[in-house]
């Protein structure tokens, strides 16, 4: 699809405008939902009084005119049900991961955690004492340890230290500690006490003392943004003297969450382990960047398809997608020179893979297609097509109106092309992906080998073909284009974009 987008910048701009409006709309709804929940959070009368400026008495200078007391019109039962719904939503939003979120940033969530053996009673006692001390120090909250539940987790991939996850029976908070020294990694709660102002530097100093270090006074507190709805949220990060960072999240300036990051890169992505860094270009690299050189088309490597085999695959594809050459010439009154599927010597090039992670491939470039074909497996890596269409009855899509795009005619065309090129038993599913913007349609073919081909149409004409190795995930083309390595840990991983 990337090839198609590059040719349709105006379309992309229009789509982006619609997406921005959608984000604003749904973002407003999300803030409302979070605001509803956070109005429900536990507050104290004293804290409310301290956090709110005392209004001037009616009639005094600068005072607002006296207003009648509003009469509640909402149904208390309805409000209670809505509060319960939003509370469940907020718990799911923050606590669904093993390591909880503390704000609206969505960090990478490793799927390699597995629950380990329950901690020994002696360790549990130490854990509960540590959690009680943490909540008192950071939140001034005398937590009841009788309600606490603790579970151990281990990283089956071996790149992360063992952790302990502690929560209460009501699931109002989650605390994660490193098992080896019981130091805090993440603390998130749905309880807060409003304050006049957030105090990230002072709060970070408390965390630093717990970690046996101090705040790095040479680095400023970083404002990581927030949101404004019925309640205000904000988050900050503070550098520590030992190179770690503390992230702090507030609601109405009341502390609600703390995270400890091993370095600045981890802080930027809001993760607690370097192994979870997934986006920073200083840390995350392609395992094998693309590296091809032109080969000798008269000296094909062992195991690769011959030029004749590739030519047959190309002609088969073009005859299915664009109709047989003779029929197209008759239908459009074109000459042999204008419409000929035979490849000229300069139309086909052979490339050798030097990365070790891809195949050699053939590139065909002429007036009909710009196509790359994997030399061993024979799959179409990618193809940019020049408005191909089949004029045969039942396969001609250029007369199908927008309301019927993606329907039986499109499915018949897809079946015809896939059956002809790869065989009738080569796929599990063919169907529509999207119909959009009055003229465009994408169709998918899920192949039995696990890959997916996406065909993109404009006005019933085939514009591109993209190949995805694992469904419509990641970058189309070569698998190695989605294979990355965390250079700190050495872990390789498949990254969807």
């Amino acid at each position: 699809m990337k090839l198609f987008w590059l040719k349709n910048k105006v379309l992309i701009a229009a789509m982006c405008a619609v997406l921005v409006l959608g984000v604003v709309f749904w973002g407003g709804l999300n803030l409302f939902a979070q605001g509803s929940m956070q109005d429900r959070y536990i507050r104290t009368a004293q804290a409310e009084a301290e956090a709110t400026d005392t209004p001037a008495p009616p009639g005094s200078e600068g005072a607002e005119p006296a207003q009648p007391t509003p009469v509640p019109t909402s149904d208390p039962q309805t409000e209670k049900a809505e509060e319960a719904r939003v509370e469940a939503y907020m718990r799911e939003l923050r606590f669904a991961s093993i390591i909880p979120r503390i704000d609206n940033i969505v960090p990478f969530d490793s799927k390699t955690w597995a629950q380990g053996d329950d901690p020994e009673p002696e360790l549990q006692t130490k854990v509960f004492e540590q959690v009680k001390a943490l909540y008192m120090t950071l939140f001034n909250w005398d937590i009841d340890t009788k309600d606490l539940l603790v579970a151990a987790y281990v990283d089956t991939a071996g790149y992360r230290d063992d952790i302990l996850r502690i929560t209460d029976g009501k699931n109002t908070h989650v605390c994660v500690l490193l098992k080896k020294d019981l130091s805090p990694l993440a603390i998130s709660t749905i309880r807060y006490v409003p304050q006049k102002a957030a105090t990230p530097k002072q709060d970070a100093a408390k965390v630093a003392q717990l970690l046996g270090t101090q705040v790095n006074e040479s680095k400023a507190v970083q404002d990581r943004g927030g949101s404004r709805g019925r309640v205000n949220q904000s988050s900050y990060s503070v550098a520590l003297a030992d190179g770690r960072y503390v992230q702090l999240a507030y609601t109405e300036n009341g502390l609600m969450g703390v995270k400890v990051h091993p370095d600045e890169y981890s802080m930027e992505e809001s993760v607690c382990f370097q192994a979870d860094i997934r986006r920073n270009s200083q840390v995350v690299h392609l395992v094998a960047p693309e590296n091809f050189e032109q080969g000798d088309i008269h000296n094909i490597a062992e195991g690769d398809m011959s030029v004749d085999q590739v030519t047959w695959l190309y002609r088969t594809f073009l005859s299915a997608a664009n109709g047989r050459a003779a029929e197209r010439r008759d239908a459009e009154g074109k000459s042999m020179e204008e419409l000929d599927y035979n490849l000229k010597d300069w139309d086909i090039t052979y490339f050798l893979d030097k990365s070790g992670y891809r195949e050699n491939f053939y590139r065909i470039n002429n007036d009909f297609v710009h196509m790359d074909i994997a030399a061993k497996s024979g799959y179409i890596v990618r193809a940019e097509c020049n408005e191909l269409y089949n004029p045969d009855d039942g396969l001609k899509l250029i007369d199908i109106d927008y309301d019927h795009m993606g329907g039986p005619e499109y499915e018949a065309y897809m079946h015809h092309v896939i059956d002809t090129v790869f065989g009738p038993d080569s796929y599990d599913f063919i169907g529509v992906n999207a119909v959009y913007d009055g003229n465009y349609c994408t169709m998918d073919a899920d192949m039995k080998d696990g890959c997916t081909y996406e065909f993109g149409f404009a006005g019933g004409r085939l514009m591109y073909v993209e190949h995805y190795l694992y469904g419509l995930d990641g970058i189309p083309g070569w698998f190695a284009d989605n294979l990355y390595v965390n250079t700190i840990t050495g872990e390789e991983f498949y990254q969807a974009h």
Side-chain angles (χ1 to χ4, degrees), residues 102-320:
I102 65 172
D103 54 18
N104 294 331
I105 298 174
V106 183
F108 171 74
D109 182 18
S110 175
K111 303 305 180 186
T112 59
W113 291 111
Q115 191 162 347
D117 297 333
D118 291 337
E120 297 293 331
E122 182 180 353
L123 178 58
Q124 283 200 27
T125 299
K126 292 180 180 179
V127 167
F128 294 157
E129 291 173 353
Q130 171 74 328
V131 172
K132 186 177 181 70
L134 286 173
Y135 277 88
M136 177 56 70
T137 301
L138 299 175
F139 303 99
N140 196 29
W141 180 3
D142 188 11
I143 198 167
D144 188 351
T145 59
K146 295 194 301 295
D147 295 333
L148 297 182
L149 305 170
V150 59
Y153 287 88
V154 297
D155 176 28
T156 57
Y159 294 100
R160 301 160 184 84
D161 290 331
D162 295 351
I163 59 175
L164 300 170
R165 190 178 194 269
I166 303 96
T167 187
D168 63 333
K170 295 181 180 179
N171 201 27
T172 58
H173 63 82
V174 174
C175 178
V176 175
L177 309 177
L178 274 176
K179 185 178 180 180
K180 62 184 178 182
D181 59 8
L182 301 188
S183 61
L185 276 185
I187 307 173
S188 187
T189 177
I190 60 171
R191 168 177 174 160
Y192 73 94
V193 178
Q195 303 292 333
K196 286 184 178 180
T199 55
K201 194 168 185 179
Q202 293 91 318
D203 293 329
K206 296 177 184 177
V207 179
Q209 187 173 13
L210 291 167
L211 296 172
T213 184
Q214 58 189 4
V215 169
N216 186 339
E217 298 292 346
S218 67
K219 292 190 176 182
V221 174
Q222 295 186 39
D223 185 341
R224 292 174 61 82
S227 59
R228 293 183 177 274
R230 291 174 62 184
V231 293
N232 297 330
Q233 295 180 318
S234 58
S235 64
Y236 305 86
S237 63
V238 180
L240 303 184
D242 62 3
R244 286 183 284 185
Y245 279 76
V246 174
Q247 184 184 345
L248 306 117
Y250 298 84
T251 295
E252 293 295 340
N253 298 319
L255 184 63
M256 285 190 68
V258 175
K259 267 190 176 182
V260 179
H261 309 289
D263 57 22
E264 187 172 9
Y265 296 147
S266 303
M267 177 272 293
E268 289 171 351
E269 297 190 22
S270 195
V271 295
C272 295
F273 292 98
Q274 292 177 319
D276 292 331
I277 299 173
R278 285 295 184 268
R279 300 293 177 186
N280 191 290
S281 60
Q282 300 299 313
V283 176
V284 177
H285 299 164
L286 277 172
V287 171
E290 194 172 278
N291 183 14
F292 293 103
E293 68 177 34
Q294 187 168 337
D296 181 1
I297 203 155
H298 302 294
N299 185 23
I300 303 303
E302 184 178 355
D304 285 355
M305 293 191 298
S306 67
V307 174
D308 287 343
Q309 288 173 312
V310 173
T311 301
W312 178 88
L313 192 152
Y314 152 79
R315 288 175 59 85
T316 300
F317 170 81
L318 208 57
S319 294

Side-chain angles (χ1 to χ4, degrees), residues 331-351:
E332 299 183 8
K334 292 186 176 181
S335 66
M336 177 74 75
E337 291 73 20
E338 292 175 299
L339 207 156
D340 179 17
Y341 293 165
N342 289 319
L343 288 176
K344 313 298 189 296
D345 290 343
W346 53 85
D347 289 345
I348 184 168
T349 313
Y350 179 57
F351 288 91

